[in-house]
């Protein structure tokens, strides 16, 4: 079972946004709701993957910071 999708947010560098739990396609002339179930499911999956990748990078940065505090300058 996958984690729940957030209720709002924008996919990085993409003309889509999640507002109130619904995907919207944003363009120069305005926004329209995305209604195709296969397309919105793909957007949900992609958003979950992006969030997981963001968490993984954040965890790596935290571990890197912790390692530099434990061993400043890389000396023993």
């Amino acid at each position: 079972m996958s984690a729940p999708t957030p209720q709002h947010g924008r996919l990085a560098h993409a003309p889509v946004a999640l507002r109130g739990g619904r995907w919207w396609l944003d363009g120069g002339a305005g926004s329209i709701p995305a209604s195709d179930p296969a397309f919105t499911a793909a957007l949900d999956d992609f958003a979950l993957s992006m969030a997981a990748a963001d968490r993984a990078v954040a965890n790596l940065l935290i571990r890197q910071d912790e390692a530099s505090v434990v061993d400043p300058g890389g000396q023993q």
Side-chain angles (χ1 to χ4, degrees):
M1 183 172 188
S2 64
T5 301
Q7 290 298 303
H8 57 65
R10 177 172 284 289
L11 284 179
H13 308 292
V16 295
L18 188 62
R19 296 185 199 113
R22 187 168 189 185
W23 287 105
W24 291 77
L25 305 175
D26 292 333
S31 298
I32 59 169
S35 59
D36 181 83
F39 181 60
T40 57
L43 289 172
D44 287 339
D45 290 344
F46 185 68
L48 289 171
S49 295
M50 290 290 293
D54 288 344
R55 285 190 303 274
V57 169
N59 287 334
L60 286 172
L61 293 173
I62 289 168
R63 283 195 278 171
Q64 183 180 23
D65 287 345
E66 289 171 349
S68 66
V69 169
V70 171
D71 187 17
Q75 298 177 1
Q76 294 189 11

